[in-house]
Every structure is written in C-alpha cells, then in structure tokens.
Amino acid sequence: MFLFTHRQYMMAADHLTGHLASWPGDEAAALMVDAFAASGSRPYRERGDALVERQYALAGPESWVWASRLAWTRAEQGRVDEAYELAVLALEHNARSGLAVHAKAHAEHEMGAGPASVAFIDVWLSADPQAVQFRHLNWHAALQSLAAGDVVDARRRADRALDRADVGMRAAANWRLLLAGQAPARRCEVQHVRDLLAAPGGTAEVFHTFNLALALAVEAATDDLEALARRATCDERPEFAQVLAPVVRALAHLTAGRPQAAVDLLTRLGPDLERLGGVRVEREIVQDTLARVLVDAGDPERAADLLHHRTANRAHHVYEDLLLSALPAPARTKEMPHG
C-alpha cells in the first residue's frame, strides 16, 4: 500500500507478485492490482492480467472480489462478453461490488447498451446515493445516454452529478458533446485549469494531464494548449514527449480550425496511444477526435472506417453517427466563450 500510494507502481507490482505467491487468493491484495497497469509498462500489465486470472482460478467463482477483478481485466482486454458475464456473477454474490458494477459499465459501453445500462446504474445508485462511485457511474450513464441520442440526459448528468473538482470527467463529457455538434454542459474555468497544471503534482501523471488538456480544448484555449504541448515535448518522460505532446498539439490545431494538421498528428500515434494512460473507455475520446477531424478535413470515408467496429457492434451508436455527420463542430472555433 505504501509503494502504491507513493506511485512506485513497478515496485508495488513486484511486491504484490511475491505476496500472492505466499498468500494465494488474498482478497485484500486485489485492491493493489491496478499497480501493474499504472506502471505504464505493457509487460507489467500483461503480468498483472495473468496474475488476476490465476488468483480467480485459485479463489473460485464464489469469490466476488476476484470475479470483479477479472471482469475488469477482461473489459480492458476487449473481451466484452466475458467481462459482462463475470461482472454479473460477482454482483450475484455481492450486489454492492463497486468494481463489478464499474466493469459492467465498461462492458456495456463497448456493447452500446444505452438505456438499459443507464437504468441499471440508476437502480444500483439508488440503493446508496452516497456510494463512492456515484459521480463516475453517472459519467458512464451520460455516455450511454449520448450513445442512445438522449443528449438532454447526458448534459443533465454532467451538470448535476459532477462538481467543480471533477475537471477530467466534465471535460471528457463536454468534449464528446462538442465533437458531436452539441452544446456542452456546465464548463470549467480556464484559470482553474491553469492553476491545476501549475500546482505541485499537476503533471505527475500523463492521463491526468491529458484530461486537463481536454478541459482547455473545451474552452478553445488554443494558446494554453500550445504552451502545454511545448512543455510536454521537453518532458524527460517518454509518454509525455512522444504521446501526450502530439495529442495536445492536435487539440490546439482543432480549436484553431486546422483539422488537417490535427489528422496528421493523431494518425501517427497508432498503438502508442495506450501509453497515454487511462482505460479503454477514456482513451476512446482520442479516436472520437480523429473521426471528427477527418470529417472536417473532407475525408468522411476514412472516418467511417475508423469507427466501423463501433457502428457494427454497438446496439446504440447515435453518438458515432453524429461524429460522422457533416455538422458544424463548435469546439474548433475561437469564438466560444471562455470560463
């Protein structure tokens, strides 16, 4: 726990491997398994996935803790049906498993479950409105509402469930709305974002920094984005210089009305995008952005190919349809009000 909380993720993962060799199936230790993914190393993440599979096999399907953890692992691997089934199994043994309901939300995002997912989340949260997952699950529900075309509900959840401190989730919801040609929900203040970036630890983690960049993009703060891109380019950490910097620079181009320049930067990333951190659902917003700039740059067929797996496999994909439509994208204009 000490190593994990001090962001010594590789050391925490190594220690956890030894711990579970001595105490197989230890359910308390499952809380630390995120250290493998947080390390930013693909070999470590794969080791963590294998570790979770083994612990679940040792603990058995009646261990809702390891069933929840394996559901989360399968969701991140893109094995959606397995993730969903494991999450349901875990919830049968413990209906209040936060990790299981979160894994289920991720699986349902990949499925495009829409209103069914929203209804389940609302019922689950109604049993405990003080649940620690309240804001994040409402964010997931907002994405499902957007997927089903209920923009009003998506905006309402972003307005009412997310508070001022939820800069990342608010920015991610609003950027999706803007990419789809929709009015955003309540916004962040540019100065607040600047203060967060300047604070101690403000750029300690790459995905957190990316979320702050999204908040700047929502406000069309092109100059701030360009400054952040320059800062990331000079960062000694490769994930900042090689992945974050081009993404932030692409956002700056998009807010300044230069879609083709954004296309060129985003298409070069390829599999390196995983190094941006976060999870599949969160990183998907970069693909959303690329689809929008492809349409804006006059290449809708390439955008459609990019999102084909979603429109073909998700039950509800109004959001993707909006991304692929030739609607004005207010996110790219400099006239958007700041703050």
Side-chain angles (χ1 to χ4, degrees):
M1 291 176 67
F2 176 85
L3 292 169
F4 189 94
T5 55
H6 284 78
R7 296 181 177 145
Q8 300 298 314
Y9 296 124
M10 286 187 176
M11 293 175 65
D14 291 340
H15 182 80
L16 190 60
T17 300
H19 175 84
L20 286 168
S22 299
W23 287 279
D26 179 9
E27 293 184 343
L31 293 167
M32 300 293 108
V33 169
D34 286 334
F36 290 91
S39 71
S41 162
R42 179 174 293 182
Y44 267 79
R45 187 182 70 245
E46 291 172 353
R47 275 180 52 197
D49 291 353
L51 186 74
V52 169
E53 291 179 27
R54 175 161 174 74
Q55 299 312 307
Y56 175 72
L58 291 169
E62 303 214 348
S63 171
W64 63 269
V65 172
W66 286 108
S68 300
R69 179 54 64 178
L70 186 56
W72 178 263
T73 299
R74 292 291 185 248
E76 278 303 284
Q77 292 172 333
R79 296 163 65 170
V80 179
D81 291 340
E82 292 175 64
Y84 182 86
E85 291 170 5
L86 283 160
V88 170
L89 175 66
L91 290 166
E92 287 174 355
H93 289 288
N94 179 4
R96 301 309 301 168
S97 170
L99 185 58
V101 75
H102 194 188
K104 186 172 182 286
H106 277 234
E108 289 177 332
H109 179 87
E110 302 279 0
M111 297 172 173
S117 182
V118 172
F120 178 82
I121 287 172
D122 284 343
V123 169
W124 194 87
L125 288 174
S126 68
D128 180 12
Q130 303 303 314
V132 69
Q133 298 89 357
F134 180 83
R135 296 200 298 273
H136 191 68
L137 287 178
N138 263 290
W139 178 77
H140 274 285
L143 298 192
Q144 288 289 0
S145 289
L146 186 54
D150 191 347
V151 176
V152 172
D153 185 67
R155 195 181 294 116
R156 178 186 66 81
R157 289 176 188 273
D159 276 340
R160 297 183 185 179
L162 304 180
D163 61 28
R164 188 173 185 268
D166 298 319
V167 173
M169 286 188 288
R170 181 178 299 285
N174 277 333
W175 187 242
R176 283 174 169 87
L177 286 164
L178 287 167
L179 291 175
Q182 305 299 312
R186 183 160 45 93
R187 315 263 277 275
C188 302
E189 305 92 353
V190 172
Q191 190 56 51
H192 182 207
V193 181
R194 290 171 181 156
D195 292 343
L196 290 172
L197 283 167
T203 58
E205 294 184 347
V206 64
F207 191 71
H208 172 71
T209 310
F210 167 67
N211 277 330
L212 296 180
L214 281 181
L216 292 173
V218 169
E219 301 307 319
T222 305
D223 292 345
D224 290 87
L225 286 165
E226 290 176 345
L228 180 57
R230 289 192 296 271
R231 179 177 171 185
T233 300
C234 298
D235 199 295
E236 294 181 354
R237 293 166 291 183
E239 65 272 21
F240 276 73
Q242 298 168 16
V243 184
L244 179 66
V247 171
V248 176
R249 190 163 283 114
L251 292 173
H253 284 310
L254 181 53
T255 60
R258 300 186 292 265
Q260 187 57 58
V263 168
D264 295 341
L265 285 165
L266 294 178
T267 51
R268 293 177 200 154
L269 289 172
D272 281 346
L273 184 60
E274 288 187 3
R275 297 164 62 199
L276 192 64
V279 294
R280 287 168 60 93
V281 173
E282 294 167 326
R283 288 192 302 271
E284 192 176 80
I285 200 168
V286 179
Q287 188 180 63
D288 300 347
T289 304
L290 178 54
R292 167 49 64 194
V293 295
L294 282 167
V295 172
D296 290 349
D299 198 349
E301 291 184 4
R302 190 172 162 199
D305 288 343
L306 182 69
L307 300 186
H308 177 72
H309 67 288
R310 296 203 218 165
T311 55
N313 297 322
R314 295 184 179 180
H316 295 274
H317 49 79
V318 173
Y319 171 62
E320 284 77 14
D321 293 341
L322 290 171
L323 289 178
L324 297 173
S325 61
L327 297 174
R332 69 176 186 265
T333 66
K334 294 288 287 184
E335 292 77 24
M336 291 180 62
H338 287 215

